[in-house]
Amino acid sequence: MMEDNVMLAFDIYARLAASGQVRKAEISAYWENEEVRHFVERFVGQVQCVLISDADYLYLLPASLESPFHISNEAFKKRYMTSKAVNMDIYLLYLSIIVLFGCFYDSYQTQEPADFVSMSTWLEAMNGRIESLHRHDEETLKAAEGAMNFNWLTLMRKWDDLDSIKETARKQDARTNSRLSFLSMARSFLLQQHLVREIGNDELVLTEKARAIFANYFMEASYNNGILDFMYELDHKDVQDGEKGADDHAIHQ
């Protein structure tokens, strides 16, 4: 009996390993047999992956750089980005996805996402996020880089450079479009991964898969290295400093 369950579990794992997902309706043994589920989870753990699910699918996702299912930077650039992409583009892509999720989830405080987010809203949020980071001194940002392995200063400059080409006024109107071009590339990646859907008018909605990943990855400090906390703690610090400044002004009055 145990051998049968092991084989059932391995068949489910093999299907997950092959495509990264499997319809829940097709693996009833996983849901109905605790031992089968236990073996599947052991197989998954051995390759340093995790399982998440939405209403229709069970997904296999790498949880470590050491996982054989983790995609290298070079492979990622070839598959999803332009021929001129560098590693920093990958990190900027990751940051843009964080910001997009923040647009849906109101800075990660709400349980239910917004109905949709437009490309223009996403662009405005990215510009605002970078502008917010610029308000903090380099020492603070450099200290955070070491703790999170996330190069804030280089990312900020990378985004700024998309809008720094000296051209005629007419061409300068298209400089912001270069940022939109980057976000369009990010959108294409999210569409390919079935994380967003387009509903017209340059508007995006989250899929159930995206919601599951958000809950299991982006809200877990062990996966995001405290990046979300840092980004929004800076905002919180801005508010506190502003309130303190207002109090000081009132005292001097």
Side-chain angles (χ1 to χ4, degrees):
M1 184 66 176
M2 179 180 290
E3 183 178 349
D4 291 340
N5 286 339
V6 170
M7 293 308 297
L8 278 171
F10 186 78
D11 177 67
I12 294 171
Y13 167 73
R15 295 172 64 183
L16 285 166
S19 63
Q21 64 185 45
V22 62
R23 285 188 176 276
K24 293 168 70 171
E26 298 173 359
I27 52 170
S28 58
Y30 177 84
W31 310 103
E32 298 170 0
N33 189 317
E34 185 176 347
E35 190 172 48
V36 169
R37 184 164 60 253
H38 169 73
F39 283 126
V40 172
E41 291 170 353
R42 286 192 61 183
F43 293 145
V44 168
Q46 286 296 308
V47 291
Q48 300 183 61
C49 289
V50 295
L51 295 172
I52 66 168
S53 63
D54 60 23
D56 300 309
Y57 286 91
L58 182 68
Y59 301 100
L60 176 75
L61 299 174
S64 166
L65 294 177
E66 287 71 39
S67 170
F69 293 94
H70 173 73
I71 302 176
S72 70
N73 285 353
E74 291 306 312
F76 187 93
K77 286 183 288 187
K78 289 180 180 179
R79 187 178 303 179
Y80 300 112
M81 309 187 87
T82 66
S83 59
K84 296 181 179 180
V86 296
N87 286 348
M88 193 51 58
D89 289 303
I90 297 177
Y91 296 115
L92 188 58
L93 173 70
Y94 178 61
L95 179 62
S96 72
I97 293 172
I98 290 176
V99 171
L100 176 63
F101 275 18
C103 292
F104 276 106
Y105 283 92
D106 190 24
S107 298
Y108 314 97
Q109 298 303 311
T110 56
Q111 295 298 315
E112 285 298 318
D115 292 336
F116 65 87
V117 170
S118 67
M119 292 295 293
S120 59
T121 297
W122 188 8
L123 175 62
E124 183 179 351
M126 270 295 288
N127 286 333
R129 181 55 40 205
I130 298 300
E131 181 182 345
S132 176
L133 290 170
H134 272 300
R135 291 199 295 269
H136 302 282
D137 58 80
E138 289 195 9
E139 288 73 19
T140 299
L141 296 171
K142 286 180 178 178
E145 288 176 5
M148 303 173 196
N149 194 28
F150 209 70
N151 195 325
W152 294 106
L153 290 169
T154 305
L155 281 172
M156 291 155 56
R157 291 166 186 153
K158 181 76 177 178
W159 185 255
D160 290 343
D161 285 346
L162 293 175
D163 199 33
S164 64
I165 302 172
K166 295 180 180 179
E167 297 175 335
T168 66
R170 180 178 179 181
K171 289 185 178 180
Q172 284 177 7
D173 290 338
R175 291 186 303 174
T176 299
N177 289 335
S178 65
R179 294 181 179 181
L180 274 175
S181 177
F182 186 90
L183 294 187
S184 294
M185 178 178 62
R187 174 180 58 185
S188 295
F189 167 73
L190 293 170
L191 288 169
Q192 290 178 58
Q193 295 298 309
H194 306 291
L195 296 172
V196 298
R197 289 188 298 104
E198 293 180 295
I199 57 173
N201 298 320
D202 273 339
E203 294 170 346
L204 305 173
V205 296
L206 290 181
T207 63
E208 289 297 322
K209 178 182 180 182
R211 294 188 187 203
I213 290 176
F214 178 85
N216 287 275
Y217 273 81
F218 285 87
M219 294 302 289
E220 284 292 333
S222 59
Y223 290 126
N224 63 45
N225 295 323
I227 291 170
L228 306 185
D229 289 341
F230 175 73
M231 288 171 64
Y232 290 98
E233 277 176 5
L234 288 180
D235 284 356
H236 184 60
K237 182 177 181 298
D238 277 347
V239 171
Q240 289 182 324
D241 290 346
E243 291 174 348
K244 183 176 183 298
D247 291 342
D248 291 342
H249 179 71
I251 291 172
H252 288 299
Q253 288 291 324

